[in-house]
Amino acid sequence: MWCAFIRRTASGRVAAPDQAVTVEEALRGVTLEAAHSLKMEDEIGSIEPDKRANLTGLDRKPMNVEPMELLDIRVRGMVIQGRVLPAGKEQRDAGLAPLPPGAVGSRSGIGLASPEHALRVVHAHP
C-alpha cells in the first residue's frame, strides 16, 4: 500500500508520481482488486456472507494513520479457515528484512500454501 501511495523506489527515486493512488485505493488494491486478479472475487477480498472469512489483523488501521506511516504497520496475526494464527516476531518484521532460510512457512505452512493455492487458481481459470 505504501509503495502505491508514495511511489518511491528503494533507491529513493519517485516513480511515476502521476500514478499515485489514495490510501483507500491502495487498500482496495490489496483486497478486492487482488481477489479479482486471482479470479476469486466471489470467495475472497471482502468480508461478506458466503465468502471465506480469512483476515489479517494489523496493529493499526491503515485509514487512521498518516500515509507515510503505512510502512510501519505490523501484522498481529491472521484468521485462515477459522484458525487464529498469531504472528511471531519474524512475521511481524517480514517487511523490514528477509526471513532466515527455512523460516518461511515453518510454523503453519501458510507461507508455502498461499502461493501454491494462487497458482492452482490462476491455472484453473482461463
Side-chain angles (χ1 to χ4, degrees):
M1 288 180 55
W2 184 84
C3 291
F5 178 81
I6 301 299
R7 305 299 301 170
R8 188 172 303 148
T9 67
S11 68
R13 181 179 63 85
V14 176
D18 57 315
Q19 294 180 22
V21 298
T22 66
V23 174
E24 293 87 357
E25 291 168 329
L27 183 58
R28 184 178 175 90
V30 298
T31 56
L32 293 168
E33 291 176 13
H36 178 74
S37 71
L38 291 171
K39 300 181 179 176
M40 294 182 69
E41 62 270 23
D42 293 336
E43 297 179 46
I44 62 172
S46 62
I47 303 302
E48 299 177 43
D50 299 323
K51 285 190 173 184
R52 298 180 195 179
N54 294 347
L55 308 168
T56 301
L58 306 174
D59 68 351
R60 289 178 276 173
K61 295 179 182 178
M63 306 305 290
N64 292 352
V65 300
E66 292 296 319
M68 290 300 288
E69 295 175 15
L70 287 172
L71 191 61
D72 300 325
I73 295 175
R74 299 286 174 255
V75 172
R76 295 189 66 189
M78 297 176 285
V79 177
I80 305 289
Q81 298 179 344
R83 291 182 24 221
V84 177
L85 304 168
K89 177 160 178 32
E90 70 277 1
Q91 291 159 324
R92 286 191 300 270
D93 294 341
L96 299 177
L99 294 176
V104 176
S106 61
R107 286 192 186 169
S108 63
I110 289 175
L112 299 175
S114 298
E116 289 172 7
H117 174 73
L119 286 172
R120 279 196 310 271
V121 169
V122 169
H123 291 291
H125 296 283

